[in-house]
């Protein structure tokens, strides 16, 4: 994943939308930030990061604001933990049950 993102690109690719908020609602601290970043990374790349350093620092700082977790807390997120494994499962399930990319669900 590229590391340099313009403000417009961050807004377009890393902003949490309505359904995303439902997924992060029951999480807190580094888990909340880590989940949100894994979700947006997966949406963009179609895979999960192998290392925290793969996630652009500008995206970490951008997402940290809305989820109300300090960006520095992302360093505490353990990609090999049981929680991270569960997060990957939740994200895959949410992505497979959602609308195709670029489309919205009809009410």
């Amino acid at each position: 994943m590229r590391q340099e993102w313009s403000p417009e690109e961050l807004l377009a690719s890393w902003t949490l939308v309505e359904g995303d908020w439902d997924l992060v609602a029951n999480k807190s601290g580094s888990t909340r930030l880590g989940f949100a970043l894994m979700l947006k990374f997966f949406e963009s790349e179609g895979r999960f990061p192998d290392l925290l350093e793969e996630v652009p620092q500008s995206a970490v700082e951008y997402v940290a604001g809305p989820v109300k977790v300090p960006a520095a807390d992302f360093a505490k997120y353990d990609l090999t933990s049981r929680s991270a494994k569960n997060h990957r499962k939740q994200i895959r399930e949410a992505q497979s049950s959602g609308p195709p990319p670029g489309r919205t669900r009809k009410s």
Side-chain angles (χ1 to χ4, degrees), residues 35-102:
F35 182 93
L37 289 164
M38 294 262 287
L39 174 64
K40 300 316 276 187
F41 189 100
F42 185 81
E43 287 177 3
S44 178
E45 296 291 300
R47 67 175 183 87
F48 295 104
D50 294 319
L51 304 168
L52 294 180
E53 294 79 13
E54 286 186 72
V55 180
Q57 186 60 34
S58 58
V60 174
E61 292 168 8
Y62 177 76
V63 173
V67 299
K68 297 180 171 46
V69 176
D73 283 7
F74 184 53
K76 299 175 189 173
Y77 188 75
D78 181 0
L79 291 172
T80 63
S81 70
R82 191 174 78 203
S83 291
K85 182 179 179 180
N86 288 333
H87 291 170
R88 290 189 294 273
K89 181 181 176 190
Q90 290 172 17
I91 291 167
R92 280 189 200 101
E93 288 172 357
Q95 295 295 317
S96 67
S97 66

